[in-house]
Amino acid sequence: MALKLKDTFYISHGSPTLSIDESIQARKFLQSWKKDVYQEKPKSILIISGHWDTTVPTVNVIQTTNDTIYDFYGFPKPMYQLKYPAPGASHLAKRVKELLNKSGFNRVNEDKKRGLDHGAWVPLMLMYPEADIPVCQLSVQSNLDGTHHYNIGKALAPLKDEGVLIIGSGSAVHNLRALDFSAGEEATPWALEFDNWLKDALLDGRYEDVNHYEQKAPHARKAHPHPDHFFPLHVAIGAAGENSKAKLIHSSIEVGTLSYASYQFTSDSS
């Protein structure tokens, strides 16, 4: 019988140093993924990363092994030696394109060269270190809005019944100019307020409010001056379904304002 999945996820991947820094709490959370969070082994993974931003939805169609993209600058040398050689998922990429086209997204581009950026490979390296599950990446469109990304998710919902794990990867609060390296364990009040608003909205199932977070959330523009790291969340919610239940599966804030809040969305099968 075909593997059917009920869950989608939004993972806050925070800083690229998550790849090597043992002191980041979210690292331990992701390393415990298969044991404590999600035992089901998916057939393939579709990951939507805030680090791939295009004017129209684009999938990477990779026939062989995904390249590891080092799209960060000035970090410790060992980070540039890490590899995550997950197989490409060209069949899944074509299926993503087909589903989006069918739902009225007339233009979906294919990129036959691009591997996995750090928004994809850093969390996956911790979650599925064997790199034995085929991975396809889908871009965000930061020139559009939350509803656009929610609708992308809705279009992709059938993939769950085909054994595909859909993961949005971004950061629940992401303002790199407002990082406070002297904050220690303390969260900056405005970042905490946005983080808590998001948690309450998701756990209450107020997905429309999250789609229109710019009008509804406190400090929305400050929490996301650029929405690329937030829109993967909307895809994950849309793919889970209107009556899905949200669960907070990890919460921590580093350097004052960088939230690692991560969520699981379970579709209501009734």
PDB file of all heavy atoms in Angstrom, residues 121-157:
ATOM      1  N   TRP A 121      19.631  22.311   3.110  1.00  0.00           N
ATOM      2  CA  TRP A 121      20.542  21.228   3.516  1.00  0.00           C
ATOM      3  C   TRP A 121      20.947  21.276   4.986  1.00  0.00           C
ATOM      4  O   TRP A 121      21.203  20.213   5.583  1.00  0.00           O
ATOM      5  CB  TRP A 121      21.759  21.124   2.595  1.00  0.00           C
ATOM      6  CG  TRP A 121      22.774  22.223   2.616  1.00  0.00           C
ATOM      7  CD1 TRP A 121      22.892  23.240   1.716  1.00  0.00           C
ATOM      8  CD2 TRP A 121      23.864  22.411   3.538  1.00  0.00           C
ATOM      9  NE1 TRP A 121      23.966  24.053   2.027  1.00  0.00           N
ATOM     10  CE2 TRP A 121      24.581  23.565   3.137  1.00  0.00           C
ATOM     11  CE3 TRP A 121      24.316  21.708   4.671  1.00  0.00           C
ATOM     12  CZ2 TRP A 121      25.707  24.034   3.812  1.00  0.00           C
ATOM     13  CZ3 TRP A 121      25.441  22.181   5.347  1.00  0.00           C
ATOM     14  CH2 TRP A 121      26.117  23.328   4.936  1.00  0.00           C
ATOM     15  N   VAL A 122      20.990  22.472   5.592  1.00  0.00           N
ATOM     16  CA  VAL A 122      21.402  22.510   7.006  1.00  0.00           C
ATOM     17  C   VAL A 122      20.396  21.775   7.898  1.00  0.00           C
ATOM     18  O   VAL A 122      20.772  20.858   8.625  1.00  0.00           O
ATOM     19  CB  VAL A 122      21.684  23.952   7.493  1.00  0.00           C
ATOM     20  CG1 VAL A 122      21.872  23.970   9.004  1.00  0.00           C
ATOM     21  CG2 VAL A 122      22.935  24.507   6.811  1.00  0.00           C
ATOM     22  N   PRO A 123      19.081  22.111   7.850  1.00  0.00           N
ATOM     23  CA  PRO A 123      18.164  21.327   8.677  1.00  0.00           C
ATOM     24  C   PRO A 123      18.089  19.853   8.276  1.00  0.00           C
ATOM     25  O   PRO A 123      18.064  18.971   9.132  1.00  0.00           O
ATOM     26  CB  PRO A 123      16.807  22.021   8.507  1.00  0.00           C
ATOM     27  CG  PRO A 123      16.949  22.934   7.349  1.00  0.00           C
ATOM     28  CD  PRO A 123      18.403  23.245   7.201  1.00  0.00           C
ATOM     29  N   LEU A 124      18.102  19.582   6.956  1.00  0.00           N
ATOM     30  CA  LEU A 124      17.987  18.183   6.515  1.00  0.00           C
ATOM     31  C   LEU A 124      19.188  17.347   6.937  1.00  0.00           C
ATOM     32  O   LEU A 124      19.051  16.159   7.264  1.00  0.00           O
ATOM     33  CB  LEU A 124      17.807  18.111   4.993  1.00  0.00           C
ATOM     34  CG  LEU A 124      16.454  18.584   4.453  1.00  0.00           C
ATOM     35  CD1 LEU A 124      16.451  18.553   2.931  1.00  0.00           C
ATOM     36  CD2 LEU A 124      15.309  17.732   5.013  1.00  0.00           C
ATOM     37  N   MET A 125      20.361  17.969   6.980  1.00  0.00           N
ATOM     38  CA  MET A 125      21.573  17.265   7.405  1.00  0.00           C
ATOM     39  C   MET A 125      21.435  16.761   8.848  1.00  0.00           C
ATOM     40  O   MET A 125      21.950  15.712   9.215  1.00  0.00           O
ATOM     41  CB  MET A 125      22.744  18.237   7.299  1.00  0.00           C
ATOM     42  CG  MET A 125      24.081  17.720   7.733  1.00  0.00           C
ATOM     43  SD  MET A 125      25.297  19.076   7.733  1.00  0.00           S
ATOM     44  CE  MET A 125      24.992  19.766   9.349  1.00  0.00           C
ATOM     45  N   LEU A 126      20.715  17.538   9.668  1.00  0.00           N
ATOM     46  CA  LEU A 126      20.509  17.153  11.071  1.00  0.00           C
ATOM     47  C   LEU A 126      19.332  16.184  11.211  1.00  0.00           C
ATOM     48  O   LEU A 126      19.365  15.274  12.033  1.00  0.00           O
ATOM     49  CB  LEU A 126      20.264  18.408  11.920  1.00  0.00           C
ATOM     50  CG  LEU A 126      21.410  19.429  11.896  1.00  0.00           C
ATOM     51  CD1 LEU A 126      20.986  20.744  12.539  1.00  0.00           C
ATOM     52  CD2 LEU A 126      22.654  18.873  12.595  1.00  0.00           C
ATOM     53  N   MET A 127      18.305  16.372  10.393  1.00  0.00           N
ATOM     54  CA  MET A 127      17.098  15.547  10.485  1.00  0.00           C
ATOM     55  C   MET A 127      17.293  14.166   9.851  1.00  0.00           C
ATOM     56  O   MET A 127      16.875  13.154  10.398  1.00  0.00           O
ATOM     57  CB  MET A 127      15.932  16.263   9.796  1.00  0.00           C
ATOM     58  CG  MET A 127      15.525  17.570  10.447  1.00  0.00           C
ATOM     59  SD  MET A 127      14.682  18.701   9.294  1.00  0.00           S
ATOM     60  CE  MET A 127      13.094  17.917   9.096  1.00  0.00           C
ATOM     61  N   TYR A 128      17.889  14.162   8.664  1.00  0.00           N
ATOM     62  CA  TYR A 128      18.089  12.921   7.892  1.00  0.00           C
ATOM     63  C   TYR A 128      19.552  12.835   7.460  1.00  0.00           C
ATOM     64  O   TYR A 128      19.880  13.024   6.280  1.00  0.00           O
ATOM     65  CB  TYR A 128      17.164  12.906   6.673  1.00  0.00           C
ATOM     66  CG  TYR A 128      15.697  12.907   7.045  1.00  0.00           C
ATOM     67  CD1 TYR A 128      14.924  14.059   6.936  1.00  0.00           C
ATOM     68  CD2 TYR A 128      15.076  11.752   7.525  1.00  0.00           C
ATOM     69  CE1 TYR A 128      13.583  14.067   7.291  1.00  0.00           C
ATOM     70  CE2 TYR A 128      13.735  11.752   7.885  1.00  0.00           C
ATOM     71  CZ  TYR A 128      12.997  12.904   7.764  1.00  0.00           C
ATOM     72  OH  TYR A 128      11.657  12.906   8.122  1.00  0.00           O
ATOM     73  N   PRO A 129      20.461  12.583   8.422  1.00  0.00           N
ATOM     74  CA  PRO A 129      21.905  12.668   8.132  1.00  0.00           C
ATOM     75  C   PRO A 129      22.387  11.682   7.073  1.00  0.00           C
ATOM     76  O   PRO A 129      23.410  11.920   6.441  1.00  0.00           O
ATOM     77  CB  PRO A 129      22.562  12.382   9.494  1.00  0.00           C
ATOM     78  CG  PRO A 129      21.507  11.774  10.349  1.00  0.00           C
ATOM     79  CD  PRO A 129      20.189  12.272   9.847  1.00  0.00           C
ATOM     80  N   GLU A 130      21.641  10.615   6.833  1.00  0.00           N
ATOM     81  CA  GLU A 130      22.094   9.625   5.834  1.00  0.00           C
ATOM     82  C   GLU A 130      22.008  10.156   4.403  1.00  0.00           C
ATOM     83  O   GLU A 130      22.595   9.573   3.494  1.00  0.00           O
ATOM     84  CB  GLU A 130      21.249   8.331   5.931  1.00  0.00           C
ATOM     85  CG  GLU A 130      21.317   7.638   7.272  1.00  0.00           C
ATOM     86  CD  GLU A 130      20.401   8.239   8.335  1.00  0.00           C
ATOM     87  OE1 GLU A 130      19.611   9.162   8.004  1.00  0.00           O
ATOM     88  OE2 GLU A 130      20.478   7.822   9.500  1.00  0.00           O
ATOM     89  N   ALA A 131      21.249  11.231   4.213  1.00  0.00           N
ATOM     90  CA  ALA A 131      21.070  11.835   2.875  1.00  0.00           C
ATOM     91  C   ALA A 131      20.613  10.809   1.847  1.00  0.00           C
ATOM     92  O   ALA A 131      21.050  10.817   0.703  1.00  0.00           O
ATOM     93  CB  ALA A 131      22.364  12.524   2.407  1.00  0.00           C
ATOM     94  N   ASP A 132      19.718   9.915   2.271  1.00  0.00           N
ATOM     95  CA  ASP A 132      19.275   8.839   1.370  1.00  0.00           C
ATOM     96  C   ASP A 132      17.843   9.027   0.866  1.00  0.00           C
ATOM     97  O   ASP A 132      17.292   8.156   0.199  1.00  0.00           O
ATOM     98  CB  ASP A 132      19.405   7.475   2.071  1.00  0.00           C
ATOM     99  CG  ASP A 132      18.578   7.391   3.351  1.00  0.00           C
ATOM    100  OD1 ASP A 132      18.052   8.428   3.809  1.00  0.00           O
ATOM    101  OD2 ASP A 132      18.454   6.271   3.905  1.00  0.00           O
ATOM    102  N   ILE A 133      17.237  10.179   1.176  1.00  0.00           N
ATOM    103  CA  ILE A 133      15.872  10.451   0.720  1.00  0.00           C
ATOM    104  C   ILE A 133      15.940  11.506  -0.386  1.00  0.00           C
ATOM    105  O   ILE A 133      16.562  12.553  -0.207  1.00  0.00           O
ATOM    106  CB  ILE A 133      14.988  10.956   1.881  1.00  0.00           C
ATOM    107  CG1 ILE A 133      14.929   9.913   3.005  1.00  0.00           C
ATOM    108  CG2 ILE A 133      13.575  11.280   1.387  1.00  0.00           C
ATOM    109  CD1 ILE A 133      14.277  10.405   4.283  1.00  0.00           C
ATOM    110  N   PRO A 134      15.328  11.244  -1.546  1.00  0.00           N
ATOM    111  CA  PRO A 134      15.358  12.231  -2.641  1.00  0.00           C
ATOM    112  C   PRO A 134      14.712  13.548  -2.208  1.00  0.00           C
ATOM    113  O   PRO A 134      13.668  13.555  -1.545  1.00  0.00           O
ATOM    114  CB  PRO A 134      14.544  11.563  -3.749  1.00  0.00           C
ATOM    115  CG  PRO A 134      14.606  10.090  -3.439  1.00  0.00           C
ATOM    116  CD  PRO A 134      14.646   9.996  -1.942  1.00  0.00           C
ATOM    117  N   VAL A 135      15.355  14.661  -2.602  1.00  0.00           N
ATOM    118  CA  VAL A 135      14.888  15.989  -2.201  1.00  0.00           C
ATOM    119  C   VAL A 135      14.683  16.876  -3.424  1.00  0.00           C
ATOM    120  O   VAL A 135      15.538  16.944  -4.306  1.00  0.00           O
ATOM    121  CB  VAL A 135      15.899  16.681  -1.248  1.00  0.00           C
ATOM    122  CG1 VAL A 135      15.381  18.069  -0.833  1.00  0.00           C
ATOM    123  CG2 VAL A 135      16.162  15.836  -0.005  1.00  0.00           C
ATOM    124  N   CYS A 136      13.527  17.567  -3.430  1.00  0.00           N
ATOM    125  CA  CYS A 136      13.237  18.586  -4.433  1.00  0.00           C
ATOM    126  C   CYS A 136      13.031  19.901  -3.691  1.00  0.00           C
ATOM    127  O   CYS A 136      12.439  19.919  -2.606  1.00  0.00           O
ATOM    128  CB  CYS A 136      11.963  18.204  -5.193  1.00  0.00           C
ATOM    129  SG  CYS A 136      11.316  19.516  -6.257  1.00  0.00           S
ATOM    130  N   GLN A 137      13.504  20.994  -4.251  1.00  0.00           N
ATOM    131  CA  GLN A 137      13.338  22.295  -3.621  1.00  0.00           C
ATOM    132  C   GLN A 137      12.411  23.172  -4.465  1.00  0.00           C
ATOM    133  O   GLN A 137      12.445  23.135  -5.696  1.00  0.00           O
ATOM    134  CB  GLN A 137      14.697  22.980  -3.430  1.00  0.00           C
ATOM    135  CG  GLN A 137      14.608  24.142  -2.462  1.00  0.00           C
ATOM    136  CD  GLN A 137      15.961  24.710  -2.055  1.00  0.00           C
ATOM    137  OE1 GLN A 137      16.963  24.001  -2.054  1.00  0.00           O
ATOM    138  NE2 GLN A 137      15.979  25.972  -1.697  1.00  0.00           N
ATOM    139  N   LEU A 138      11.589  23.951  -3.760  1.00  0.00           N
ATOM    140  CA  LEU A 138      10.652  24.881  -4.395  1.00  0.00           C
ATOM    141  C   LEU A 138      10.922  26.282  -3.869  1.00  0.00           C
ATOM    142  O   LEU A 138      11.171  26.465  -2.669  1.00  0.00           O
ATOM    143  CB  LEU A 138       9.212  24.456  -4.065  1.00  0.00           C
ATOM    144  CG  LEU A 138       8.055  25.376  -4.469  1.00  0.00           C
ATOM    145  CD1 LEU A 138       7.944  25.492  -5.987  1.00  0.00           C
ATOM    146  CD2 LEU A 138       6.735  24.873  -3.885  1.00  0.00           C
ATOM    147  N   SER A 139      10.861  27.277  -4.746  1.00  0.00           N
ATOM    148  CA  SER A 139      11.199  28.655  -4.370  1.00  0.00           C
ATOM    149  C   SER A 139      10.008  29.399  -3.763  1.00  0.00           C
ATOM    150  O   SER A 139       8.851  28.970  -3.877  1.00  0.00           O
ATOM    151  CB  SER A 139      11.683  29.412  -5.606  1.00  0.00           C
ATOM    152  OG  SER A 139      10.608  29.565  -6.530  1.00  0.00           O
ATOM    153  N   VAL A 140      10.310  30.545  -3.129  1.00  0.00           N
ATOM    154  CA  VAL A 140       9.267  31.463  -2.671  1.00  0.00           C
ATOM    155  C   VAL A 140       9.238  32.682  -3.594  1.00  0.00           C
ATOM    156  O   VAL A 140      10.168  32.906  -4.364  1.00  0.00           O
ATOM    157  CB  VAL A 140       9.496  31.941  -1.209  1.00  0.00           C
ATOM    158  CG1 VAL A 140       9.384  30.787  -0.245  1.00  0.00           C
ATOM    159  CG2 VAL A 140      10.840  32.672  -1.051  1.00  0.00           C
ATOM    160  N   GLN A 141       8.140  33.452  -3.495  1.00  0.00           N
ATOM    161  CA  GLN A 141       8.013  34.675  -4.286  1.00  0.00           C
ATOM    162  C   GLN A 141       7.776  35.827  -3.304  1.00  0.00           C
ATOM    163  O   GLN A 141       6.627  36.127  -2.951  1.00  0.00           O
ATOM    164  CB  GLN A 141       6.825  34.585  -5.272  1.00  0.00           C
ATOM    165  CG  GLN A 141       7.052  33.645  -6.442  1.00  0.00           C
ATOM    166  CD  GLN A 141       7.005  32.190  -6.016  1.00  0.00           C
ATOM    167  OE1 GLN A 141       5.983  31.713  -5.535  1.00  0.00           O
ATOM    168  NE2 GLN A 141       8.113  31.479  -6.174  1.00  0.00           N
ATOM    169  N   SER A 142       8.847  36.484  -2.869  1.00  0.00           N
ATOM    170  CA  SER A 142       8.697  37.511  -1.840  1.00  0.00           C
ATOM    171  C   SER A 142       8.015  38.767  -2.381  1.00  0.00           C
ATOM    172  O   SER A 142       7.619  39.640  -1.618  1.00  0.00           O
ATOM    173  CB  SER A 142      10.047  37.862  -1.214  1.00  0.00           C
ATOM    174  OG  SER A 142      10.870  38.506  -2.152  1.00  0.00           O
ATOM    175  N   ASN A 143       7.847  38.839  -3.712  1.00  0.00           N
ATOM    176  CA  ASN A 143       7.113  39.971  -4.301  1.00  0.00           C
ATOM    177  C   ASN A 143       5.600  39.778  -4.192  1.00  0.00           C
ATOM    178  O   ASN A 143       4.831  40.675  -4.508  1.00  0.00           O
ATOM    179  CB  ASN A 143       7.508  40.143  -5.776  1.00  0.00           C
ATOM    180  CG  ASN A 143       7.261  38.876  -6.594  1.00  0.00           C
ATOM    181  OD1 ASN A 143       7.565  37.769  -6.139  1.00  0.00           O
ATOM    182  ND2 ASN A 143       6.714  39.010  -7.784  1.00  0.00           N
ATOM    183  N   LEU A 144       5.158  38.595  -3.735  1.00  0.00           N
ATOM    184  CA  LEU A 144       3.727  38.306  -3.589  1.00  0.00           C
ATOM    185  C   LEU A 144       3.386  38.230  -2.096  1.00  0.00           C
ATOM    186  O   LEU A 144       4.085  38.797  -1.270  1.00  0.00           O
ATOM    187  CB  LEU A 144       3.372  37.051  -4.382  1.00  0.00           C
ATOM    188  CG  LEU A 144       3.590  37.253  -5.895  1.00  0.00           C
ATOM    189  CD1 LEU A 144       3.432  35.969  -6.668  1.00  0.00           C
ATOM    190  CD2 LEU A 144       2.637  38.319  -6.440  1.00  0.00           C
ATOM    191  N   ASP A 145       2.304  37.538  -1.711  1.00  0.00           N
ATOM    192  CA  ASP A 145       1.880  37.605  -0.311  1.00  0.00           C
ATOM    193  C   ASP A 145       1.647  36.227   0.304  1.00  0.00           C
ATOM    194  O   ASP A 145       1.864  35.203  -0.333  1.00  0.00           O
ATOM    195  CB  ASP A 145       0.619  38.476  -0.178  1.00  0.00           C
ATOM    196  CG  ASP A 145      -0.562  37.919  -0.974  1.00  0.00           C
ATOM    197  OD1 ASP A 145      -0.472  36.787  -1.502  1.00  0.00           O
ATOM    198  OD2 ASP A 145      -1.594  38.621  -1.066  1.00  0.00           O
ATOM    199  N   GLY A 146       1.197  36.253   1.556  1.00  0.00           N
ATOM    200  CA  GLY A 146       0.969  35.010   2.291  1.00  0.00           C
ATOM    201  C   GLY A 146      -0.095  34.143   1.638  1.00  0.00           C
ATOM    202  O   GLY A 146       0.038  32.919   1.576  1.00  0.00           O
ATOM    203  N   THR A 147      -1.158  34.769   1.137  1.00  0.00           N
ATOM    204  CA  THR A 147      -2.251  34.007   0.517  1.00  0.00           C
ATOM    205  C   THR A 147      -1.765  33.263  -0.724  1.00  0.00           C
ATOM    206  O   THR A 147      -2.154  32.115  -0.967  1.00  0.00           O
ATOM    207  CB  THR A 147      -3.425  34.947   0.173  1.00  0.00           C
ATOM    208  OG1 THR A 147      -3.866  35.573   1.389  1.00  0.00           O
ATOM    209  CG2 THR A 147      -4.577  34.200  -0.451  1.00  0.00           C
ATOM    210  N   HIS A 148      -0.913  33.906  -1.508  1.00  0.00           N
ATOM    211  CA  HIS A 148      -0.319  33.240  -2.690  1.00  0.00           C
ATOM    212  C   HIS A 148       0.390  31.956  -2.264  1.00  0.00           C
ATOM    213  O   HIS A 148       0.214  30.893  -2.882  1.00  0.00           O
ATOM    214  CB  HIS A 148       0.668  34.201  -3.361  1.00  0.00           C
ATOM    215  CG  HIS A 148       1.638  33.550  -4.308  1.00  0.00           C
ATOM    216  ND1 HIS A 148       1.329  33.242  -5.613  1.00  0.00           N
ATOM    217  CD2 HIS A 148       2.927  33.131  -4.123  1.00  0.00           C
ATOM    218  CE1 HIS A 148       2.378  32.678  -6.202  1.00  0.00           C
ATOM    219  NE2 HIS A 148       3.363  32.607  -5.316  1.00  0.00           N
ATOM    220  N   HIS A 149       1.166  32.035  -1.193  1.00  0.00           N
ATOM    221  CA  HIS A 149       1.927  30.861  -0.747  1.00  0.00           C
ATOM    222  C   HIS A 149       1.027  29.809  -0.097  1.00  0.00           C
ATOM    223  O   HIS A 149       1.253  28.604  -0.257  1.00  0.00           O
ATOM    224  CB  HIS A 149       3.059  31.304   0.193  1.00  0.00           C
ATOM    225  CG  HIS A 149       4.132  32.064  -0.535  1.00  0.00           C
ATOM    226  ND1 HIS A 149       4.040  33.423  -0.776  1.00  0.00           N
ATOM    227  CD2 HIS A 149       5.286  31.642  -1.120  1.00  0.00           C
ATOM    228  CE1 HIS A 149       5.105  33.801  -1.474  1.00  0.00           C
ATOM    229  NE2 HIS A 149       5.872  32.750  -1.696  1.00  0.00           N
ATOM    230  N   TYR A 150       0.001  30.266   0.600  1.00  0.00           N
ATOM    231  CA  TYR A 150      -1.005  29.349   1.153  1.00  0.00           C
ATOM    232  C   TYR A 150      -1.672  28.564   0.015  1.00  0.00           C
ATOM    233  O   TYR A 150      -1.863  27.337   0.103  1.00  0.00           O
ATOM    234  CB  TYR A 150      -2.035  30.159   1.942  1.00  0.00           C
ATOM    235  CG  TYR A 150      -3.131  29.351   2.573  1.00  0.00           C
ATOM    236  CD1 TYR A 150      -2.955  28.719   3.808  1.00  0.00           C
ATOM    237  CD2 TYR A 150      -4.377  29.229   1.950  1.00  0.00           C
ATOM    238  CE1 TYR A 150      -3.972  27.983   4.401  1.00  0.00           C
ATOM    239  CE2 TYR A 150      -5.400  28.491   2.533  1.00  0.00           C
ATOM    240  CZ  TYR A 150      -5.201  27.876   3.758  1.00  0.00           C
ATOM    241  OH  TYR A 150      -6.208  27.143   4.329  1.00  0.00           O
ATOM    242  N   ASN A 151      -1.986  29.259  -1.071  1.00  0.00           N
ATOM    243  CA  ASN A 151      -2.631  28.599  -2.219  1.00  0.00           C
ATOM    244  C   ASN A 151      -1.685  27.632  -2.929  1.00  0.00           C
ATOM    245  O   ASN A 151      -2.121  26.602  -3.449  1.00  0.00           O
ATOM    246  CB  ASN A 151      -3.179  29.643  -3.194  1.00  0.00           C
ATOM    247  CG  ASN A 151      -4.407  30.356  -2.627  1.00  0.00           C
ATOM    248  OD1 ASN A 151      -5.107  29.804  -1.780  1.00  0.00           O
ATOM    249  ND2 ASN A 151      -4.650  31.582  -3.068  1.00  0.00           N
ATOM    250  N   ILE A 152      -0.400  27.965  -2.941  1.00  0.00           N
ATOM    251  CA  ILE A 152       0.587  27.009  -3.467  1.00  0.00           C
ATOM    252  C   ILE A 152       0.523  25.727  -2.628  1.00  0.00           C
ATOM    253  O   ILE A 152       0.473  24.611  -3.156  1.00  0.00           O
ATOM    254  CB  ILE A 152       2.011  27.608  -3.438  1.00  0.00           C
ATOM    255  CG1 ILE A 152       2.214  28.543  -4.628  1.00  0.00           C
ATOM    256  CG2 ILE A 152       3.083  26.511  -3.447  1.00  0.00           C
ATOM    257  CD1 ILE A 152       3.601  29.149  -4.719  1.00  0.00           C
ATOM    258  N   GLY A 153       0.508  25.898  -1.309  1.00  0.00           N
ATOM    259  CA  GLY A 153       0.416  24.741  -0.414  1.00  0.00           C
ATOM    260  C   GLY A 153      -0.833  23.922  -0.672  1.00  0.00           C
ATOM    261  O   GLY A 153      -0.781  22.690  -0.765  1.00  0.00           O
ATOM    262  N   LYS A 154      -1.975  24.613  -0.818  1.00  0.00           N
ATOM    263  CA  LYS A 154      -3.239  23.908  -1.087  1.00  0.00           C
ATOM    264  C   LYS A 154      -3.131  23.056  -2.351  1.00  0.00           C
ATOM    265  O   LYS A 154      -3.605  21.925  -2.403  1.00  0.00           O
ATOM    266  CB  LYS A 154      -4.376  24.919  -1.258  1.00  0.00           C
ATOM    267  CG  LYS A 154      -5.147  25.190   0.005  1.00  0.00           C
ATOM    268  CD  LYS A 154      -6.150  26.314  -0.165  1.00  0.00           C
ATOM    269  CE  LYS A 154      -7.399  25.862  -0.896  1.00  0.00           C
ATOM    270  NZ  LYS A 154      -8.442  26.926  -0.860  1.00  0.00           N
ATOM    271  N   ALA A 155      -2.496  23.622  -3.374  1.00  0.00           N
ATOM    272  CA  ALA A 155      -2.339  22.899  -4.642  1.00  0.00           C
ATOM    273  C   ALA A 155      -1.481  21.641  -4.465  1.00  0.00           C
ATOM    274  O   ALA A 155      -1.674  20.639  -5.162  1.00  0.00           O
ATOM    275  CB  ALA A 155      -1.715  23.826  -5.680  1.00  0.00           C
ATOM    276  N   LEU A 156      -0.542  21.710  -3.511  1.00  0.00           N
ATOM    277  CA  LEU A 156       0.410  20.598  -3.340  1.00  0.00           C
ATOM    278  C   LEU A 156      -0.047  19.560  -2.316  1.00  0.00           C
ATOM    279  O   LEU A 156       0.625  18.558  -2.116  1.00  0.00           O
ATOM    280  CB  LEU A 156       1.776  21.167  -2.924  1.00  0.00           C
ATOM    281  CG  LEU A 156       2.424  22.114  -3.944  1.00  0.00           C
ATOM    282  CD1 LEU A 156       3.723  22.677  -3.406  1.00  0.00           C
ATOM    283  CD2 LEU A 156       2.646  21.403  -5.283  1.00  0.00           C
ATOM    284  N   ALA A 157      -1.200  19.793  -1.688  1.00  0.00           N
ATOM    285  CA  ALA A 157      -1.684  18.869  -0.650  1.00  0.00           C
ATOM    286  C   ALA A 157      -1.737  17.399  -1.093  1.00  0.00           C
ATOM    287  O   ALA A 157      -1.426  16.508  -0.297  1.00  0.00           O
ATOM    288  CB  ALA A 157      -3.049  19.331  -0.146  1.00  0.00           C
TER     289      ALA A 157
END
